[in-house]
Amino acid sequence: MDSNWTEPWLFVLYSIIKPVAGAFILVLMYVVFVAIGRPQGDPDAFSYMYVGNSFFIFVASVLFGTFQVIQSDREWYQTIRYVYISPISYYVYILGRAASKIAVSVFAVAITLVFGVMFLGVQLHLALTDVPLFLVSTILGLSVLLAIGICLGGISFLTAKHTHGLAEGIPGLFYVFCGVLFPLSVLPDWGQAIGRAIPLTYWFDITRRLLTSPSTSTSTVNTTLQGFDPPTILLFLVVSSVGFFGLSILIYKVGEYFARKAGKIDMTTSY
C-alpha cells in the first residue's frame, strides 16, 4: 500500500485495519477447514497457519515494493531518466525504496501477531536465547525477498505495465509451495521438491519453530523438515540467500543491459 497523498493519521488507521481484516479472513478459512476436516479443531494447526500467514505479509509487500520501483519511476512519475543518471547506483536506490515497505510491513506483522495472541488464542513463545537466531533468520528472509524482488525488477526493465500481474502471481506461487497455509507434506513429491528449492520455505519453518510453542511444529503438523535442527535450517537459508543474491545481480545486469541496448530504460507504454 502506498500513501503518497493521504493524511498520516488516515494511513496509520488503514495500516491497523488492513492486517486485522486479514486476520479475520484467516479465521474464516480455518473455520471452513475445521468444518470439512476435524470438527474438534486443531490449535496447533491454527497457530501454524496463523504465524505463517502473518509473516507472509512481508512477501507480498516487499516483493511488490521492490520490483514496482522501475515501473513507477518509468510509467507513473516518469523520473527514471533523472534517477538513473544520478551518481547513486540504481540497484542500491531500489533497495532503499523497498526499505520503506519493510518498515510498514513490520508494523502490519506485529499488529497481526498481537491480535492473534489477544483475541484468537494464538500462543507465541519466543525464548530469550532464541532472539538472536530469530533476528538473523528474519534479516536473511527479508534479504531473500529483496533479492527475488530485484530479479523481477531486472525482468521488468524489458516489460510494460505487468508489475501487477507479477505482484499477484509470484507471491501466489510462494503461498502454495512454501508451506504458508499448509505444510509441505500435503503436496505431491514434485511440489515438495519445488518448496524445498525456495529459501522462503526455510524462513517460514524456522520462524514458526522459534515463535510458537514446541508442540505446534512437532506434534500434529508434519512439515517434512523435522529432521533438521534450527541451525541446519538457518544454514540452508544462508546458502540459498547467497545464491539468490548472486542471481539477483545477474538478472538485474542482464535486464539492464538489454534494456539499454533496446532503448527501454525510460520507455513509457501509456496503457
Side-chain angles (χ1 to χ4, degrees):
M1 52 186 178
D2 292 315
S3 60
N4 297 30
W5 311 109
T6 189
E7 295 289 340
W9 67 267
L10 184 60
F11 181 68
V12 171
L13 180 62
Y14 177 73
S15 300
I16 296 174
I17 292 176
K18 184 180 179 182
V20 172
F24 280 119
I25 295 174
L26 191 61
V27 171
L28 177 61
M29 293 169 63
Y30 176 71
V31 170
V32 173
F33 290 161
V34 169
I36 63 177
R38 299 181 179 182
Q40 74 278 13
D42 188 340
D44 289 344
F46 180 70
S47 294
Y48 177 95
M49 185 173 67
Y50 193 88
V51 173
N53 276 270
S54 298
F55 278 80
F56 191 76
I57 293 173
F58 282 120
V59 178
S61 180
V62 175
L63 275 187
F64 183 72
T66 304
F67 66 79
Q68 64 92 29
V69 171
I70 296 173
Q71 292 294 313
S72 63
D73 282 357
R74 187 166 64 184
E75 299 277 358
W76 303 340
Y77 310 126
Q78 299 184 12
T79 57
I80 190 171
R81 68 189 65 177
Y82 310 111
V83 178
Y84 190 80
I85 62 175
S86 64
I88 189 175
S89 165
Y90 197 65
Y91 185 99
V92 176
Y93 168 78
I94 295 175
L95 294 180
R97 289 276 299 273
S100 63
K101 297 294 183 181
I102 293 177
V104 174
S105 299
V106 168
F107 188 59
V109 171
I111 289 176
T112 304
L113 292 176
V114 170
F115 183 81
V117 171
M118 294 182 65
F119 300 104
L120 301 178
V122 176
Q123 296 183 351
L124 299 183
H125 177 75
L126 178 61
L128 188 60
T129 55
D130 291 333
V131 171
L133 187 59
F134 172 75
L135 293 177
V136 171
S137 63
T138 302
I139 292 173
L140 287 173
L142 293 176
S143 300
V144 168
L145 285 176
L146 290 173
I148 296 173
I150 291 292
C151 292
L152 298 175
I155 296 173
S156 70
F157 267 130
L158 304 170
T159 63
K161 293 181 179 180
H162 300 138
T163 54
H164 290 288
L166 291 174
E168 297 292 336
I170 301 299
L173 293 176
F174 294 155
Y175 198 75
V176 173
F177 292 107
C178 292
V180 178
L181 187 61
F182 42 76
L184 290 184
S185 56
V186 306
L187 296 175
D189 292 340
W190 60 267
Q192 294 182 24
I194 293 175
R196 290 180 177 178
I198 303 174
L200 298 180
T201 301
Y202 304 108
W203 181 37
F204 289 128
D205 185 82
I206 195 171
T207 299
R208 286 193 182 98
R209 293 192 190 196
L210 298 176
L211 279 186
T212 59
S213 62
S215 62
T216 299
S217 57
T218 59
S219 61
T220 60
V221 181
N222 178 17
T223 64
T224 73
L225 298 174
Q226 297 95 328
F228 304 102
D229 56 9
T232 305
I233 296 294
L234 186 65
L235 178 62
F236 291 157
L237 186 56
V238 170
V239 172
S240 55
S241 299
V242 173
F244 268 82
F245 177 71
L247 186 64
S248 72
I249 295 177
L250 176 64
I251 294 179
Y252 176 84
K253 291 296 183 182
V254 171
E256 183 186 35
Y257 171 78
F258 283 107
R260 293 182 63 174
K261 191 174 182 180
K264 294 183 176 180
I265 290 292
D266 60 346
M267 173 189 67
T268 55
T269 55
S270 302
Y271 77 89

